Amino acid sequence: MYLNSIFTDPERTARLIEIAQSSFLPLLKGAIFYTIPLTIITFIVGLVLAILTALARISHVKVFQIIARVYVSAIRGTPLLVQLFIIFYGLPNIGIIIDSYIAAVIGFSLSVGAYTSEIIRAAILSTPKGQWEAGYSIGMSYSQVLRRIILPQAARVSIPPLSNSFISLVKDTSLASLVLVSEMFRKAQEIAASNYEFLLVYSEAALIYWVICFILSIIQQYFEKKLDRYV
């Protein structure tokens, strides 16, 4: 029925084309100025948090291990949407008011930190113990061995899963629309609400998401091939 109305009604077809053309630029701006920067910022902050969490998990300090495990368990055991709602809508009940964009950065960063910490921890543990012993044998400290020997090797192993996490984060940022961040999907909601062409506008937004993720996948494959040269 929907497709028949498009092909049999020239006026409707012209209207849909006009809506697609007029909505493309606002959607693209939402992706460039909000979705992509939000993804990059939260991934960088989350990656730093992930490294600290992974190091805490493998440390010999029991308190650090407990704190890291509770954090990872809490984040992985609750939906990301619930976490965003608690930060943006829940915290004002106790007097903590956070800007919508900052709330999204905090929420996504905590999520990235918890999930990617397990990737980094596994990559560190996959490094042979002989690498640690070799570093200690030439007088290196724990931090020097970690920084100069272990982490560079762990980085090569963790690049593919971290890249997948980054691509997934691009799509997850659409949840920021529910805490009033004007990213691409929020723009799509506003445009669709004004013209009631939900299928067209949301499909257009999905296409832009797909193109972004496709480009990132190509970049991921390039870096994986570069790293394979050193295996």
Side-chain angles (χ1 to χ4, degrees), residues 69-80 82-83 111 114-115:
R69 286 186 177 184
V70 170
Y71 158 62
V72 172
S73 177
I75 296 299
R76 293 176 67 185
T78 55
L80 176 56
V82 174
Q83 297 164 17
S111 179
Y115 282 95

Side-chain angles (χ1 to χ4, degrees), residues 26-46:
L27 291 176
L28 188 61
K29 286 182 177 179
I32 294 174
F33 295 110
Y34 287 93
T35 299
I36 295 176
L38 180 61
T39 303
I40 294 173
I41 292 171
T42 54
F43 191 78
I44 292 173
V45 175

Side-chain angles (χ1 to χ4, degrees), residues 4-18:
N4 287 338
S5 66
I6 295 176
F7 293 119
T8 59
D9 189 346
E11 291 185 3
R12 178 166 173 74
T13 302
R15 179 174 178 273
L16 291 177
I17 294 174
E18 182 182 355

Side-chain angles (χ1 to χ4, degrees), residues 189-200:
Q189 289 177 315
E190 293 172 353
I191 294 170
S194 64
N195 55 41
Y196 298 101
E197 293 294 344
F198 296 97
L199 179 60
L200 173 65

Side-chain angles (χ1 to χ4, degrees), residues 23 108 131:
S23 61
F108 290 127
Q131 300 289 326

Side-chain angles (χ1 to χ4, degrees), residues 7 19 38 95 134 150 161 181 205 210 223:
F7 293 119
I19 291 174
L38 180 61
I150 304 301
V181 177
W210 178 76
F223 280 111

Side-chain angles (χ1 to χ4, degrees), residues 11 45 62 71 115 117 129 169 211 225 229:
E11 291 185 3
V45 175
K62 205 70 176 177
Y71 158 62
Y115 282 95
S117 68
K129 289 186 177 180
L169 181 60
V211 170
K225 288 181 180 179
R229 294 168 55 190

